[in-house]
Amino acid sequence: MKKLLLPVLFLLVSPAFAQVNISPMPVELKEGKGNFVLDKSTLIKLDSRDQQKTAELFNEYLQAVYGFRLKIFAGSDAVPTSANKIVFRYQRLAPQVDGIYAMDISARELLIKAPFNNGLFYGMQTLIQLLPLQKPATASLVIPQVQIKDYPRFAYRGMHLDVARHYFPMSFLKKYIDYLAYHKFNNFHWHLTDDQGWRIEIKKYPLLTSIGSCRAQTLAGRYGSDKYDGKKYCGFYTQEEVKQLVKYAADRYINVIPEIEMPGHGVAALSAYPYLGCTRGPYKVYETWGVTDDVFCAGNDSTFTFLQNVIDEVIALFPSKYIHIGGDECPKTKWKSCPLCQARIKAEHLKDEHELQSYFIQRMEKYINAKGRSIIGWDEILEGGLAPNATVMSWTGEHGGIAAAKQQHNAIMTPGAWCYFDHSQSRNEDSLTIGGYLPLEKVYGYEPVPKELNAEEAKYILGAQANLWTEYIDNPSKVQYMLFPRMTALSEVLWSPKEKRSWEGFEQRLPGIMDRYKLWNVRYSTAYYDLQPTVVPAEGNGISWKLDTKNTNGHIIYTKGETQNASFNYTGPLLISATGTYSAALEDGDHKVISNWVKQSFSLNKASGKKVTFKTEPNKSYSGSGGFSLVDGVQNKVGMPKSSEFLGWLGKDMEAVIDLEKETAISNIILHAFEQPGSWIYRPSEVTFYSGNNGADFTEIEKISTVTGSRNLIYRTDHAVKARYIKVMAKNYGVIPIGQAGAGTAAWMFADEIEVN
Ligand code: ACM
Ligand code: ZN
């Protein structure tokens, strides 16, 4: 009997331990002992009809997830007696932070207090998160008695979505707004126009949508491939739909910021109205990704007339204080050879094309300011001088935000390394992404106020935002997968007090957070639980393969070779002593494999695991595991190397010395390098191999200045030598010439591996 009783007893008492799992974590949270049981007999009592919308949204949630709704009473309505009620009340609270609310739950009353409706709405979102994480069998929802006082840390809490690279239907955009609301975000940045499509109806310029919203086909596979899908791709939002979405968001206390890109990323508009470009076309809506030289002509007044007319219609649709005008990635190539652009530079006494970009932005800013609105631009609007009232959205790093704040301009932080949710979440990502590596933990650890700013300057950091560019995201399910759980982590960065943030605490709440995603029917990434393989230096000199996992339901097994027949329990880093492939996976207690197999090939040679020193260290954005990355036995023969496995130098040469530890007979030396001009990564212009025996004096073996092929490049010398030290010099491509991607800036140089045979 006892054995049977125990589980029953547990079921009966478990609601008393209902786990409090709220994201973002509230400022103050006190857990009491009892419960509030919400069922069909619970009433909602409002101070005022002004609170009705929020109460109705709560009912919609209850209906959608738990299948029932509550009766709402407001103002002087006669309220029947009920077992218990939810009460919304206007009340002043301290501190006076926009969005503040408090919550007080007893057995009979669930009270949400706030001075304004947005606070009541945030309180309602917290209530949603106090509901059971699993759908209970009966319509009786046990809510723990808690007391909460809560308000946001940052005034700007944003999420962005690119609908130009791929179009998403209105029904999904509403869901996207719901996801923001669940997490107390208050700004949706809607990236509406780009080279690959113009997605907003502008009545004065119908060709923007009849021509500009369609591309003939789309790149298939990774950027740089020459395969296209051959399928016409179209989509745009009517002004009626835009109004609907703006209203839908406003009901959820979310402001919608439209982005109309200029002066770059405008080919879709140029295709519709070729007179807007320097060469007058013809142009076609872009079918691949990256950056194109075709941009709006800055010398032609018609460009400004056009953009101002577009902005007029945009302003009428969006009540947002901010209008985003892009400003990023605008090559100056066409402006350099355009007579009108050059005449403008002369007439306005501008120094160069960078000042012309500044002229462009400032002219548009003046227009938008005159309409009572403010501009946001990506950090390139700092080029050639910042427009007087502009807010900078810092994406290329933190430096744009830092520069803006130091110039007493507002800034919104969206640095790629922490805020680009199009980057991979896992090192062994199984879906195609743009690349990069942005795990959950890194998002959670992001601090929006750069340490370079003092307290006064820090006030200009309004908040932060994650960006979701959709080159490789063509359906709603993939959007969800890229968002969750990283968006939940970011919500905590933006809302919760800095000192309340705890990665360990978040890790403990993660299973519950994922249960809630299931309740919401959203797809999410479980990368956090993946097997995490890394190649690390072995003790002494050598290479080892290290495997980690957070999954406590499994243990790691591995096998040498591709076959998964004979596998061994993993007990610690595997010393790699020969060329070959290793595989590993997670297995449960019944020896069932519960993860993907991860594979790693090693290619060993005389340099493998040996000590490497540099004259100039690689750039800290691409520093891998330092010199070890060049001799870790991991060679990328095809495709984009993983960022952990290459080293990058920005505008600088590589000079690497390898100590082979003893005099060694060498028949060839190979440098594996990488190029991807679209990403400003250019091949070394020259590679020189040297040998030496004391680590200081070297003799040239061979200089190589041409290499065939592209992307994964091999520089090789076949002169036999005997030496203890090898030096490899790779000369940076230098300043990128006009006509090539990234013209005028320093080139990146990427090295992957040095092989000595
Ligand atoms: C951007 O990612 N080009 C703003
Ligand atoms: Zn021009």
Side-chain angles (χ1 to χ4, degrees):
M1 274 310 285
K2 256 191 172 139
K3 256 189 174 155
L4 276 175
L5 254 178
L6 269 171
V8 175
L9 209 71
F10 176 75
L11 272 181
L12 285 176
V13 299
S14 67
F17 305 120
Q19 192 197 6
V20 178
N21 192 332
I22 304 166
S23 305
M25 191 71 170
V27 177
E28 288 174 29
L29 168 68
K30 285 197 208 91
E31 295 188 44
K33 287 210 169 63
N35 297 318
F36 176 98
V37 179
L38 190 157
D39 61 24
K40 288 173 188 163
S41 71
T42 301
L43 306 177
I44 301 181
K45 166 84 175 73
L46 311 177
D47 274 354
S48 147
R49 284 281 166 213
D50 289 346
Q51 301 163 345
Q52 180 100 6
K53 186 77 217 177
T54 294
E56 277 168 6
L57 291 177
F58 179 65
N59 258 343
E60 274 176 33
Y61 185 88
L62 274 185
Q63 181 71 51
V65 178
Y66 303 100
F68 66 98
R69 51 176 70 233
L70 306 180
K71 290 210 173 71
I72 300 172
F73 298 85
S76 55
D77 286 354
V79 183
T81 50
S82 65
N84 59 19
K85 55 182 179 289
I86 295 171
V87 177
F88 283 15
R89 182 175 300 157
Y90 289 131
Q91 188 172 310
R92 262 176 207 258
L93 296 168
Q96 284 185 22
V97 176
D98 187 40
I100 191 169
Y101 71 92
M103 189 182 269
D104 219 325
I105 309 180
S106 64
R108 305 266 310 173
E109 189 176 83
L110 191 157
L111 174 63
I112 304 177
K113 304 176 278 192
F116 302 107
N117 285 335
N118 61 346
L120 292 175
F121 181 82
Y122 295 138
M124 186 270 280
Q125 291 302 336
T126 295
L127 168 56
I128 279 178
Q129 295 203 11
L130 287 168
L131 298 174
L133 293 169
Q134 268 92 20
K135 236 175 260 198
T138 61
S140 185
L141 311 180
V142 177
I143 296 172
Q145 290 184 8
V146 293
Q147 290 187 321
I148 289 172
K149 186 196 266 189
D150 200 14
Y151 49 87
R153 178 177 171 206
F154 289 100
Y156 185 101
R157 305 179 299 281
M159 284 296 306
H160 150 290
L161 183 66
D162 166 15
V163 298
R165 274 53 177 262
H166 284 102
Y167 168 87
F168 298 92
M170 281 291 289
S171 56
F172 181 69
L173 292 185
K174 288 180 181 170
K175 285 188 185 162
Y176 197 86
I177 296 289
D178 288 342
Y179 307 151
L180 269 68
Y182 291 156
H183 293 92
K184 304 184 175 93
F185 283 86
N186 63 352
N187 280 285
F188 170 49
H189 172 171
W190 200 4
H191 185 80
L192 282 162
T193 71
D194 215 302
D195 298 319
Q196 295 80 3
W198 183 283
R199 308 255 176 256
I200 177 172
E201 179 191 25
I202 299 295
K203 305 236 193 234
K204 200 173 181 94
Y205 300 108
L207 302 186
L208 282 175
T209 40
S210 65
I211 292 176
S213 78
C214 289
R215 57 179 180 256
Q217 55 180 356
T218 304
L219 181 78
R222 207 171 257 304
Y223 179 64
S225 95
D226 53 6
K227 292 192 191 67
Y228 289 80
D229 66 3
K231 288 187 217 142
K232 189 170 175 181
Y233 188 92
C234 301
F236 72 92
Y237 306 99
T238 64
Q239 294 204 349
E240 251 345 281
E241 287 173 323
V242 169
K243 281 184 214 161
Q244 261 182 42
L245 195 74
V246 167
K247 164 83 168 69
Y248 188 90
D251 284 344
R252 288 154 183 81
Y253 300 91
I254 293 165
N255 174 53
V256 184
I257 300 175
E259 182 182 356
I260 306 296
E261 272 265 23
M262 61 190 82
H265 287 292
V267 171
L270 269 51
S271 311
Y273 297 99
Y275 72 87
L276 298 169
C278 291
T279 63
R280 308 291 189 272
Y283 304 103
K284 63 174 182 174
V285 181
Y286 217 43
E287 295 161 7
T288 182
W289 318 128
V291 171
T292 154
D293 285 339
D294 290 316
V295 303
F296 285 105
C297 177
N300 189 345
D301 279 332
S302 308
T303 301
F304 294 96
T305 309
F306 166 85
L307 287 170
Q308 287 167 4
N309 289 336
V310 167
I311 290 293
D312 283 349
E313 292 193 31
V314 167
I315 281 178
L317 292 168
F318 293 89
S320 172
K321 169 184 164 195
Y322 294 114
I323 305 294
H324 200 307
I325 60 168
D328 61 317
E329 299 181 317
C330 178
K332 310 296 185 285
T333 318
K334 294 288 158 79
W335 290 357
K336 286 201 164 112
S337 54
C338 169
L340 287 180
C341 286
Q342 290 306 313
R344 175 85 71 199
I345 288 177
K346 224 167 152 191
E348 298 290 334
H349 309 292
L350 305 174
K351 204 169 79 211
D352 56 14
E353 289 73 20
H354 295 287
E355 288 199 356
L356 184 57
Q357 152 123 354
S358 174
Y359 166 86
F360 197 115
I361 299 294
Q362 296 204 23
R363 184 160 165 180
M364 289 308 297
E365 181 187 61
K366 206 184 262 175
Y367 187 79
I368 290 168
N369 285 171
K371 305 251 156 186
R373 309 295 180 91
S374 305
I375 66 158
I376 300 180
W378 300 108
D379 48 41
E380 289 94 326
I381 67 167
L382 284 150
E383 269 179 37
L386 200 48
N389 306 305
T391 295
V392 171
M393 198 167 256
S394 189
W395 74 278
T396 57
E398 293 180 281
H399 51 90
I402 294 167
K406 286 191 183 288
Q407 294 176 43
Q408 304 183 341
H409 277 251
N410 286 333
I412 295 160
M413 304 304 288
T414 67
W418 292 276
C419 296
Y420 269 41
F421 285 6
D422 53 340
H423 292 184
S424 300
Q425 301 174 72
S426 158
R427 287 199 193 279
N428 34 302
E429 184 61 67
D430 54 7
S431 73
L432 182 60
T433 72
I434 203 157
Y437 176 53
L438 176 54
L440 182 62
E441 187 170 348
K442 188 162 182 195
V443 175
Y444 195 87
Y446 178 54
E447 172 47 44
V449 178
K451 55 185 180 318
E452 289 81 354
L453 299 182
N454 64 34
E456 198 45 45
E457 292 159 347
K459 290 181 187 155
Y460 292 98
I461 305 296
L462 302 181
Q465 169 177 297
N467 296 335
L468 197 61
W469 302 102
T470 58
E471 285 93 337
Y472 299 98
I473 303 173
D474 64 358
N475 65 81
S477 158
K478 180 106 181 248
V479 170
Q480 295 172 339
Y481 172 81
M482 299 307 278
L483 284 183
F484 300 117
R486 291 186 292 191
M487 177 176 172
T488 306
L490 183 68
S491 75
E492 209 133 313
V493 169
L494 290 169
W495 180 283
S496 308
K498 191 176 172 186
E499 62 282 2
K500 268 260 167 161
R501 243 197 296 153
S502 147
W503 168 245
E504 290 70 28
F506 189 79
E507 278 183 300
Q508 282 170 14
R509 282 182 284 134
L510 196 53
I513 289 169
M514 290 182 169
D515 282 344
R516 192 172 291 126
Y517 298 149
K518 287 179 207 151
L519 215 52
W520 291 342
N521 270 321
V522 299
R523 190 173 159 218
Y524 57 94
S525 164
T526 55
Y528 172 81
Y529 294 110
D530 278 0
L531 197 50
Q532 303 281 355
T534 43
V535 179
V536 294
E539 263 183 53
N541 276 349
I543 298 166
S544 59
W545 199 36
K546 190 166 171 284
L547 299 157
D548 294 292
T549 180
K550 297 273 181 26
N551 190 328
T552 51
N553 298 322
H555 63 271
I556 302 169
I557 54 167
Y558 73 93
T559 170
K560 174 128 197 296
E562 309 254 358
T563 58
Q564 281 116 38
N565 301 331
S567 52
F568 308 96
N569 285 328
Y570 174 86
T571 52
L574 305 171
L575 187 68
I576 306 301
S577 53
T579 292
T581 299
Y582 286 77
S583 311
L586 282 168
E587 194 178 75
D588 69 8
D590 299 325
H591 299 293
K592 195 168 141 274
V593 172
I594 55 169
S595 73
N596 292 339
W597 283 88
V598 296
K599 285 189 180 51
Q600 182 65 62
S601 296
F602 294 94
S603 199
L604 298 201
N605 56 75
K606 289 170 178 165
S608 298
K610 296 293 191 293
K611 191 165 184 303
V612 179
T613 49
F614 294 115
K615 186 166 169 202
T616 306
E617 293 297 322
N619 185 283
K620 73 176 188 307
S621 300
Y622 297 102
S623 58
S625 312
F628 177 72
S629 293
L630 293 185
V631 290
D632 63 1
V634 179
Q635 292 173 13
N636 290 282
K637 295 197 172 70
V638 286
M640 179 80 169
K642 292 181 186 167
S643 54
S644 54
E645 285 156 15
F646 52 61
L647 301 179
W649 283 264
L650 180 59
K652 306 238 166 67
D653 302 335
M654 177 188 89
E655 186 175 328
V657 174
I658 305 175
D659 181 358
L660 301 173
E661 293 167 4
K662 58 179 192 296
E663 194 180 49
T664 305
I666 296 163
S667 54
N668 63 63
I669 311 169
I670 300 167
L671 170 68
H672 296 257
F674 179 75
E675 67 175 353
Q676 186 166 287
S679 307
W680 309 3
I681 305 164
Y682 285 84
R683 60 178 59 186
S685 56
E686 185 177 282
V687 173
T688 316
F689 297 98
Y690 302 86
S691 63
N693 277 308
N694 58 16
D697 306 307
F698 287 93
T699 312
E700 182 176 317
I701 305 172
E702 189 176 1
K703 185 180 294 209
I704 295 166
S705 45
T706 54
V707 66
T708 53
S710 62
R711 291 178 74 79
N712 297 89
L713 307 166
I714 288 189
Y715 293 83
R716 174 179 176 134
T717 175
D718 282 292
H719 290 278
V721 288
K722 262 192 154 181
R724 171 171 168 175
Y725 295 92
I726 293 298
K727 184 163 91 172
V728 182
M729 279 269 294
K731 217 169 156 40
N732 190 291
Y733 193 77
V735 174
I736 304 168
I738 292 172
Q740 292 177 239
T745 62
W748 282 98
M749 180 174 69
F750 277 12
D752 167 15
E753 189 80 354
I754 296 173
E755 222 182 300
V756 177
N757 297 296

